[in-house]
Amino acid sequence: MIQNKFNEVDRRIFSFPAVHPCESVSPATLLGSLIVLSQNIGNYQSKFFATQRRNSREAIRKIGILLVFFEEIHDRGLILPETAVLCFSELHLTFQKIRFLLEDCSREGARLWILMKSEMVVTHFRVLIRTVATAFDILPLNSMDICSEVKELVELVAKQARKARIENDPNDERAMRRVLSVLDRFEKGIEPEFQVLKWVLDYLEIKTWSDCNKEIKFLEEQWVESEEREVPFLSSLLGFMCYCRVRIFDTLDYQNADQTDVRCNMEVLSCLNPEDFRCPISLELMMDPVTVSTGQTYDRSSIQRWLKAGHTICPKSGEKLTNTELVPNTSLRKLIHQFCADNGVSLAKTGKKTRDITRTILPGSPAAAEAMKFLSRIVARNLVFGTSEQKNKAAYEIRLLAKANIFSRSCLIEAGTIPPLLNLLYSFNKSIQENAIAALLKLSKHANGKKIVVENGGLRSIVAVLKRGISLEAKQIAAATIFYLSSVKGYRRLIGEIDETIPALVDLIKEGTPCAEKNGVVALFGLALYHGNRQRVIDAGTIPLLLHIIASSNKDELIVDSLALLAMLAECLDGTLAILQASSFPLITRILQSTTSQVGKEHCVSIFLSCCTNGGDEAVAVLAKDTSVMSSLYSVTTDGTAQASKKARSLIKMLHKFHETSSSGQGCQAFTHEQSVHVW
C-alpha cells in the first residue's frame, strides 16, 4: 500500500493529511493500494457510529462495490489505460480522506463533538462523494475488459454518487437542538431537566461514567488545540458533559477511569523552575516541545526555523542530526501546561496568545460558568448528606474537576467542599481517603483553598494521613499537599511545629519509591524555607537520606531537588557538620562535573561555599585536594547564572587564599568550632 509518514495517532480531528500518489507510481502498485484502502474502509462496517449513521453506511457501501471492481481488474491482470490510472490516482486520494472521516465519526470519546459538528461532517461527506463521481467521468469503462455485471455496478455507483442527497440525519438534528437548549438554560442560570440530559446521552450511547469521562478528555484536548473562536463553545460543551457526569451517573466505573492522574502529577511536582521549560533557541516557554535525533528538546517553531536556515547540527549539543524528524514531547507539553495552570503563567505563541492559561481564572463561557456552579453545589451536598459511595464519588469528581482550571477550584471552594473533605480524611475506606486527600491537594493550589484548610484545622488532619495513611499513595499525596500549603510563608511555621510532620516526611522518603522520595524532599524543602524548621529537618536525619538519593538515583529532577534542600541545610552549622562527617565532597564534586542542570550546578557550589564558610580551613583543605574542582568552578563563572557565578567566584577566592597560605609555609589553621569534624 502507498504509505505516508503521518502518525495517525497524533492526527487532529477533521484533518485529512492524504497523500496524492506520485506520477511515476506503477499501475499495479496503485491498484493494490486502492484495494487495501477499500478493504480498510469496509472494516468500518463493524464500527459503531453514534451519529452520521446513514452517510457513513452509504460511503462504506459504495466503496465496497468499487472494491469488487478493483479486484476484478487485479484478478484479470488488465493493463490500465492512462486515463484509468489518472482516475484511480484521484480515487486513491479521496478514499484516504473518506477513511479519515470515518475514523473521526467512529472515534471513541468524540461522539458529542461529532454531533455538534454535524453540518461540517455532512459537508465533508458531500464533497468526498461528489469527488468520487467526478473521478469516474474520465474512466474509459466501456473499453475495459471486465464482465458486464461489474460494469453495471460501477456505473450505478457513479450515478448514485452524482445524484446522492447527503443530508443531516433528522435524529442528529433533534439531539443537537436539545444540547443547545441545555446550554441556553445554563447561560440563563437555569438547571436543565434530568430527562433531557438522559435522552441526549442515551442517543449518543454514553452509558457509563467512563464513557462520559472519555468525552470530557477529548473535549479538553480539543480545547488546548482549538482556534480562539471555538473556545467559548468548547467550554460550554465541557461544562455540559461535566455536569452530566456528576448528575447522571451514580456509580464510578473505574475500569477506564484515570487513576494515575495524581501519581503522574506527583512525578512532576518538583518542577518549580520555569527555566527548564524554555526553548534553548528562543529562550521562551515551549508551546509545542519536540525532540530531535540527538535527544535534545526545542520548541517546534524555533527548531523548524533553524533547520530551514540550512543547519544540519543540533543547536545545543553541536552533534550532527541524523535526520530532521521532530518527535512531539507530549509529556513535557502536559507538564508545561499544568505548571502554567497552577502558577497563572501566560503562554505566547508566534506573538499571539494561544489557550492563555491565566484565562482559566475566568470561565470559558457563561454556560460553562453556570454549569460549574451547579455541579459544585451537587458534589458539596453529596459530601455532606450522601451515602458512603456518593461521598467517595463526590471526592473523586472534585479531584478531577479541580485539576482543570482555577475557576473550577474557586467554584468548588465557594460551594463549601473543603470542610467535609477534611472529615473524610479519617475514613477507614482506602478509596475515600485517597480521593479526599487528592481533592484537597488540588484545592490547596488555590489561595482561598489554603486559607480554608488551615482555618478549619486541616493541617493536623493532613499530617495524620501523612503519618498513618491507609495507603502509600495517600501518604504521598498528603506530602504534596503540605508542599503547596508551605508556599504560604506564615503556614511553614505552623506545619513545622506539628511534632509528627517532619519525621513523617523523612519516613516517607525512606519508603524508597521515586514518588515518595520526591514528594518528601520537596515538602521538606518548602518547610525549610522557614529558618526555624531547618534544625528540625537536620535532627530528623534528613542529610544522610539526601546524600543517598544523590548517589543512587537516576532521576535528574530528584537529584536537583535533593541538592537544593542540601544546600539550604548546609547554611546551618549542624548541616555543614553532617555533610562533612559523611565525607560527601567527592560525591558533590562528581555531580557538579556531570550534571547538565545549571540549577544543579549552582546548588553544588552553594553546598561547597556554605561548608567552607562554616567549616573553616579544614573544610577548604578537603575541597582543595581535588584539583578538578577549580576548573568546574571556572566553568560556572562563565556559563552559570549571575548568582551562581558570584558564589563560584567567592569559592575560588577561598581556594586561592588557602593555596597561597599553604605554599607560604603557614599551614592550615585549626578547625575552631567546638565540635570536631572527621572529614575522612
Side-chain angles (χ1 to χ4, degrees):
M1 178 179 174
I2 299 170
Q3 297 279 358
N4 63 35
K5 295 183 179 179
F6 189 82
N7 185 355
E8 293 181 22
V9 176
D10 296 328
R11 183 179 68 86
R12 286 191 61 194
I13 197 166
F14 299 139
S15 64
F16 310 128
V19 176
H20 201 289
C22 64
E23 294 181 3
S24 61
V25 65
S26 72
T29 300
L30 180 59
L31 181 61
S33 190
L34 263 175
I35 291 172
V36 173
L37 258 177
S38 301
Q39 291 170 339
N40 289 342
I41 291 171
N43 291 336
Y44 280 92
Q45 189 72 46
S46 62
K47 296 288 184 72
F48 172 74
F49 292 87
T51 57
Q52 300 295 328
R53 293 172 181 141
R54 180 180 176 278
N55 293 331
S56 299
R57 283 198 305 268
E58 282 301 304
I60 295 169
R61 185 185 65 81
K62 287 179 173 61
I63 293 171
I65 294 173
L66 294 178
L67 173 60
V68 176
F69 170 54
F70 299 139
E71 289 176 336
E72 171 84 1
I73 295 173
H74 179 269
D75 292 343
R76 287 175 175 260
L78 299 179
I79 298 176
L80 297 176
E82 186 176 338
T83 50
V85 173
L86 181 60
C87 169
F88 287 2
S89 180
E90 291 302 317
L91 288 175
H92 189 279
L93 182 69
T94 305
F95 283 14
Q96 289 178 72
K97 294 179 180 179
I98 290 173
R99 181 167 63 87
F100 285 131
L101 184 57
L102 293 172
E103 179 185 303
D104 288 342
C105 290
S106 60
R107 183 180 292 197
E108 193 174 44
R111 295 176 186 180
L112 178 64
W113 187 236
I114 294 292
L115 172 69
M116 304 313 291
K117 289 290 183 178
S118 291
E119 292 299 331
M120 177 193 291
V121 177
V122 168
T123 300
H124 281 308
F125 272 115
R126 186 180 297 121
V127 169
L128 292 172
I129 295 301
R130 293 284 191 274
T131 304
V132 171
T134 303
F136 275 105
D137 288 343
I138 61 172
L139 181 68
L141 190 61
N142 292 329
S143 63
M144 300 177 71
D145 184 21
I146 55 176
C147 66
S148 58
E149 292 86 354
V150 173
K151 282 184 181 180
E152 290 175 3
L153 286 173
V154 173
E155 289 172 345
L156 179 62
V157 168
K159 183 178 179 180
Q160 289 178 344
R162 290 187 196 96
K163 297 182 177 181
R165 295 182 60 186
I166 311 296
E167 297 176 343
N168 205 4
D169 189 308
N171 291 325
D172 289 355
E173 289 185 351
R174 188 178 303 113
M176 184 168 56
R177 286 196 300 271
R178 292 199 175 187
V179 173
L180 292 174
S181 71
V182 170
L183 298 184
D184 183 60
R185 288 177 71 87
F186 275 139
E187 194 163 335
K188 293 175 181 176
I190 304 171
E191 270 199 279
E193 297 177 1
F194 180 90
Q195 291 78 6
V196 175
L197 300 174
K198 189 73 167 59
W199 186 93
V200 172
L201 265 60
D202 286 344
Y203 180 76
L204 295 175
E205 295 205 23
I206 298 173
K207 299 179 179 179
T208 65
W209 185 95
S210 290
D211 290 340
C212 194
N213 197 44
K214 289 174 188 174
E215 297 287 318
I216 292 169
K217 286 186 175 183
F218 175 83
L219 291 171
E220 288 173 341
E221 291 170 0
Q222 289 299 116
W223 188 86
V224 171
E225 299 288 348
S226 66
E227 299 292 334
E228 194 73 23
R229 58 188 170 80
E230 284 194 323
V231 169
F233 187 51
L234 274 165
S235 297
S236 297
L237 293 180
L238 265 169
F240 169 87
M241 197 53 73
C242 286
Y243 182 86
C244 287
R245 188 181 68 191
V246 171
R247 180 91 185 275
I248 301 295
F249 301 105
D250 295 325
T251 305
L252 279 174
D253 171 18
Y254 282 102
Q255 182 178 357
N256 295 308
D258 183 3
Q259 288 294 295
T260 63
D261 64 317
V262 172
R263 292 192 191 95
C264 291
N265 284 340
M266 294 307 98
E267 290 298 319
V268 300
L269 182 65
S270 62
C271 296
L272 306 176
N273 185 7
E275 297 303 315
D276 294 336
F277 304 146
R278 296 188 185 278
C279 173
I281 298 174
S282 67
L283 302 182
E284 297 292 337
L285 289 177
M286 290 184 279
M287 286 301 303
D288 188 8
V290 294
T291 302
V292 297
S293 60
T294 60
Q296 300 295 335
T297 298
Y298 305 90
D299 197 40
R300 184 184 294 274
S301 60
S302 297
I303 192 63
Q304 283 178 337
R305 285 195 299 270
W306 171 268
L307 295 172
K308 191 175 181 179
H311 300 294
T312 59
I313 62 171
C314 174
K316 189 171 182 180
S317 68
E319 298 175 52
K320 186 173 179 62
L321 296 170
T322 57
N323 58 65
T324 58
E325 183 180 3
L326 305 177
V327 180
N329 192 330
T330 54
S331 297
L332 180 59
R333 186 173 182 277
K334 290 178 181 177
L335 190 139
I336 291 172
H337 278 267
Q338 185 63 50
F339 174 85
C340 293
D342 290 345
N343 294 277
V345 177
S346 174
L347 299 179
K349 185 177 183 181
T350 61
K352 298 188 300 181
K353 287 191 176 182
T354 179
R355 292 295 72 72
D356 187 351
I357 302 300
T358 57
R359 275 193 346 169
T360 62
I361 298 172
L362 301 174
S365 70
E370 295 304 318
M372 188 65 217
K373 291 175 184 176
F374 282 133
L375 67 86
S376 294
R377 290 194 282 270
I378 292 172
V379 295
R381 187 167 58 246
N382 287 342
L383 282 176
V384 177
F385 302 109
T387 63
S388 179
E389 185 175 353
Q390 288 174 327
K391 289 179 180 180
N392 185 39
K393 180 178 182 291
Y396 190 70
E397 291 288 0
I398 296 170
R399 179 178 181 174
L400 297 182
L401 293 168
K403 181 175 68 173
N405 54 54
I406 299 170
F407 175 74
S408 297
R409 293 171 201 153
S410 177
C411 289
L412 291 162
I413 291 167
E414 290 177 8
T417 58
I418 289 180
L421 282 172
L422 289 171
N423 292 334
L424 292 182
L425 295 184
Y426 293 99
S427 171
F428 293 105
N429 182 297
K430 173 178 175 291
S431 181
I432 291 177
Q433 188 182 74
E434 287 179 356
N435 286 329
I437 189 63
L440 287 166
L441 165 64
K442 298 297 191 297
L443 297 179
S444 68
K445 296 178 182 181
H446 194 286
N448 289 342
K450 296 179 180 71
K451 182 180 178 183
I452 294 173
V453 166
V454 174
E455 289 179 348
N456 283 269
L459 292 181
R460 290 194 176 275
S461 301
I462 293 167
V463 171
V465 175
L466 174 66
K467 179 70 175 177
R468 295 177 290 276
I470 297 173
S471 67
L472 178 59
E473 181 177 349
K475 295 178 181 180
Q476 291 169 168
I477 301 170
T481 309
I482 288 171
F483 164 74
Y484 280 108
L485 293 172
S486 67
S487 65
V488 178
K489 188 176 181 180
Y491 297 161
R492 296 167 192 159
R493 178 181 60 81
L494 296 176
I495 299 169
E497 287 178 348
I498 299 175
D499 292 337
E500 294 181 315
T501 305
I502 291 173
L505 288 171
V506 172
D507 288 341
L508 181 64
I509 295 173
K510 290 178 181 178
E511 291 285 348
T513 67
C515 188
E517 290 176 335
K518 185 170 293 186
N519 292 1
V521 168
V522 297
L524 286 173
F525 180 88
L527 295 178
L529 291 171
Y530 171 61
H531 283 264
N533 285 332
R534 294 184 185 179
Q535 191 62 49
R536 297 187 182 101
V537 175
I538 294 169
D539 292 343
T542 305
I543 287 178
L545 286 176
L546 295 175
L547 292 172
H548 173 73
I549 291 172
I550 294 168
S552 61
S553 178
N554 58 359
K555 306 285 186 181
D556 292 338
E557 292 173 1
L558 178 56
I559 291 173
V560 171
D561 291 331
S562 300
L563 288 168
L565 179 55
L566 195 63
M568 191 182 294
L569 300 179
E571 295 174 7
C572 303
L573 175 58
D574 284 350
T576 290
L577 296 176
I579 292 170
L580 293 174
Q581 286 173 341
S583 302
S584 57
F585 274 18
L587 170 62
I588 306 302
T589 301
R590 176 169 61 82
I591 299 299
L592 174 63
Q593 294 169 344
S594 63
T595 184
T596 58
S597 167
Q598 293 299 326
V599 177
K601 289 180 184 293
E602 181 175 348
H603 293 325
C604 290
V605 174
S606 297
I607 293 167
F608 285 146
L609 184 60
S610 294
C611 287
C612 290
T613 300
N614 294 334
D617 282 349
E618 188 169 345
V620 177
V622 176
L623 188 61
K625 288 181 180 180
D626 190 340
T627 56
S628 66
V629 170
M630 194 67 79
S631 61
S632 298
L633 293 175
Y634 277 118
S635 176
V636 173
T637 62
T638 56
D639 299 332
T641 63
Q643 188 67 18
S645 179
K646 182 179 179 181
K647 294 175 183 177
R649 286 196 298 271
S650 298
L651 196 53
I652 289 170
K653 287 180 182 178
M654 283 187 179
L655 291 172
H656 276 309
K657 184 177 180 181
F658 172 80
H659 284 300
E660 289 170 0
T661 304
S662 299
S663 62
S664 65
Q666 295 179 15
C668 302
Q669 296 179 3
F671 185 67
T672 57
H673 295 295
E674 294 180 5
Q675 185 175 354
S676 61
V677 179
H678 301 286
V679 296
W680 292 107

